[in-house]
Amino acid sequence: MTIKVSAISNSEANLKVFADSTAVVGDTEYYPHIGTTEMLDNVLITDKPDVLVLDASVGADLNILQQIESALAKFPQIHTILISPDQSVEYLTLAMHIGVRKVLSSPLNALSFQEALRLAQSRMAAAALASAAFKGGLVIALVGAKGGSGATFIATNLAYALARQNKRVAVLDLRFSFGDAAIYLGNTGAKTNVAELAQQYLRVDEAMLEASMAKVSERVHILVAPATPDLAAEVTPAAIEKIIEVARHHYDFVVLDVSNTLDAVALKAINLSNLLYMVLQLDIPNVRAAKSMGQYLRACGCAPDKMQIVVNSYQRGANFGLDDVEKSTLARVARTIPSSPAAVSDSINQGIPLVELTPRDPVARALKEWAENLAPLDGNGHKNGRTNGNGNGNGNGNGNGNSQNGGPIGILRRFMGFGQ
Ligand SMILES: Nc1ncnc2c1ncn2[C@@H]1O[C@H](COP(=O)(O)OP(=O)(O)OP(=O)(O)O)[C@@H](O)[C@H]1O
Ligand SMILES: [Mg+2]
């Protein structure tokens, strides 16, 4: 696969190193530009590169990161390699956070550059293969930063709201210690559960999965948790992988209520998800737990851009703000859900999803808006194709709620203490 590489540098010598390196690596078209990041937008629009090489050797400052962030917000798929003399942890973290894939040190080492190019090539080839092969639904994992943060309420009600967008939705209750998701949807008639299905996972196909699901409505089906935790002993990562894979081929959305114990099964489920929302409430224990959870998940190989935050029971004027949450967890606040204790508890106690029971309630509205974002209807009220689930704010209805939250530029500004 041939990749287009555009490079911007004000050093003729470095442009020559890039040229020689692309020739050594092969399968590349190379477009050199002498100049600075000022020309970034033009280069991206004209060249439409797969890989962007930015040489910030001279005058590397935070302003360059801001320009890159603003450009990458419009072209998030571009694989960006930055050359910079600044190798401080703060600079590298910021660069990665705004979507730069690799930061190479300056003065430039040609071999490291070639290695970075080869890595870009192999990642792009793998992504192309994956997107060609992937036809299934979007897997959304919700995990509470702490117990009682509202993960199950949100998972079940978001699932129901997605179904109102004409989507077929599976809810998998992966909280094996007395998981209660079915109750939130008013369904207590399940005949089988995830543990029983896992015991025979090698035989699981779409028909068997659907037969094992309790039917909340025509479009919302739920695979319930076992009655007691001991029964879940045979739910292995391999079994859960098979069940999720079959579910994603059979449903438009698969919503996972994941246990915050983060055991091997939970990690497998998170790993298979396209979007991961950590649900928290705005208090110190929740934010601390989300911070530790984020660190742990990143250490376990979870892609940082998949991880997002949902602030539940959000009230303006709380002791600390959404920017504090982002600073501390290094994840974006994708959504805020207001607090509505009476309406939420009525919904749970009656087993009637809130969008059905009290559609005008602010929590119901927030969930509906989120579902509309994830699954927009076309002008005739029909379902559209699956939206891009990468959650990185490229404006295609992926529900990450940057409109709520100032977008990635806002995050960088706040990171640096610039204010909005
Ligand atoms: N937006 C909200 N406004 C008011 N109350 C809420 C809201 N979201 C959830 N709650 C309340 O919080 C309680 C806990 O919710 P939920 O069971 O969904 O949390 P959880 O994170 O799944 O907890 P667990 O750790 O036990 O699985 C519920 O009783 C519900 O009434
Ligand atoms: Mg729960």
Side-chain angles (χ1 to χ4, degrees):
M1 156 183 193
T2 302
I3 57 169
K4 278 188 181 180
V5 181
S6 293
I8 303 175
S9 171
N10 56 13
S11 152
E12 295 270 12
N14 278 355
L15 285 175
K16 172 86 170 56
V17 175
F18 302 148
D20 294 345
S21 296
T22 49
V24 169
V25 169
D27 277 342
T28 50
E29 288 170 21
Y30 177 55
Y31 301 88
H33 300 273
I34 186 113
T36 66
T37 37
E38 299 288 317
M39 56 170 43
L40 188 51
D41 277 342
N42 274 343
V43 167
L44 295 183
I45 290 164
T46 327
D47 292 359
K48 300 191 177 56
D50 301 303
V51 175
L52 171 70
V53 183
L54 272 174
D55 183 5
S57 302
V58 185
D61 60 21
L62 291 168
N63 192 25
I64 285 182
L65 287 187
Q66 275 194 293
Q67 284 169 0
I68 299 173
E69 183 185 38
S70 139
L72 289 188
K74 285 174 251 157
F75 303 96
Q77 74 288 359
I78 294 178
H79 189 110
T80 302
I81 301 172
L82 180 65
I83 323 288
S84 167
D86 188 343
Q87 296 288 307
S88 67
V89 173
E90 188 198 28
Y91 192 84
L92 296 181
T93 310
L94 269 175
M96 295 297 169
H97 194 77
I98 61 172
V100 171
R101 304 288 173 90
K102 186 84 191 160
V103 183
L104 296 175
S105 62
S106 169
L108 181 61
N109 173 315
L111 287 179
S112 317
F113 181 67
Q114 288 163 22
E115 199 182 308
L117 267 186
R118 286 200 184 92
L119 185 68
Q121 263 178 337
S122 61
R123 290 231 170 116
M124 263 170 244
L129 269 180
S131 76
F134 181 67
K135 297 191 293 295
L138 198 69
V139 181
I140 302 177
L142 288 110
V143 57
K146 281 192 78 68
S149 54
T152 303
F153 169 73
I154 291 177
T156 48
N157 279 265
L158 178 64
Y160 197 87
L162 285 167
R164 287 168 53 117
Q165 297 298 109
N166 287 344
K167 299 292 180 186
R168 296 186 76 245
V169 187
V171 179
L172 309 190
D173 189 347
L174 303 184
R175 238 201 74 148
F176 301 140
S177 57
F178 311 109
D180 48 7
I183 293 171
Y184 291 54
L185 292 168
N187 192 304
T188 49
K191 293 191 183 62
T192 183
N193 61 56
V194 61
E196 283 172 22
L197 200 61
Q199 280 166 10
Q200 38 189 337
Y201 76 90
L202 291 173
R203 290 179 42 224
V204 173
D205 60 12
E206 294 181 32
M208 187 171 171
L209 176 71
E210 178 156 348
S212 308
M213 312 276 282
K215 311 293 181 293
V216 172
S217 69
E218 193 195 327
R219 285 195 291 268
V220 183
H221 300 171
I222 179 165
L223 185 61
V224 305
T228 52
D230 56 306
L231 298 174
E234 285 183 61
V235 188
T236 59
I240 223 61
E241 178 166 12
K242 178 74 189 292
I243 292 170
I244 291 174
E245 287 305 334
V246 173
R248 78 165 0 137
H249 280 92
H250 195 54
Y251 292 90
D252 298 315
F253 286 88
V254 181
V255 178
L256 310 176
D257 185 6
V258 178
S259 161
N260 62 7
T261 52
L262 298 189
D263 53 20
V265 169
L267 288 176
K268 174 57 83 180
I270 285 172
N271 184 262
L272 292 170
S273 65
N274 303 101
L275 292 172
L276 165 64
Y277 295 108
M278 291 191 280
V279 180
L280 57 79
Q281 303 205 6
L282 268 192
D283 60 31
I284 298 279
N286 266 272
V287 177
R288 278 178 61 107
K291 179 181 175 184
S292 308
M293 184 178 273
Q295 279 167 347
Y296 180 64
L297 289 174
R298 279 190 290 275
C300 291
C302 182
D305 58 355
K306 169 158 107 178
M307 227 183 287
Q308 301 183 60
I309 302 281
V310 174
V311 176
N312 191 22
S313 294
Y314 174 62
Q315 283 167 321
R316 275 175 216 282
N319 281 344
F320 40 85
L322 303 181
D323 47 352
D324 296 311
V325 174
E326 288 177 338
K327 239 187 258 180
S328 161
T329 59
L330 293 182
R332 294 176 189 166
V333 174
R335 290 273 144 195
T336 56
I337 307 289
S339 178
S340 199
V344 170
S345 112
D346 281 353
S347 153
I348 295 173
N349 291 332
Q350 294 178 41
I352 303 174
L354 196 65
V355 287
E356 193 74 47
L357 185 67
T358 326
R360 285 166 187 277
D361 181 85
V363 173
R365 284 176 195 265
L367 290 162
K368 193 165 166 288
E369 187 190 306
W370 189 359
E372 285 167 357
N373 235 304
L374 284 164
L377 295 173
D378 67 21
N380 303 316
H382 298 131
K383 66 178 175 182
N384 285 330
R386 187 174 69 84
T387 56
N388 178 354
N390 60 12
N392 58 9
N394 52 10
N396 59 1
N398 58 18
N400 74 3
N402 278 333
S403 57
Q404 281 197 1
N405 193 34
I409 294 174
I411 293 174
L412 178 59
R413 292 186 66 80
R414 290 195 297 275
F415 246 100
M416 302 315 301
F418 296 155
Q420 282 295 352

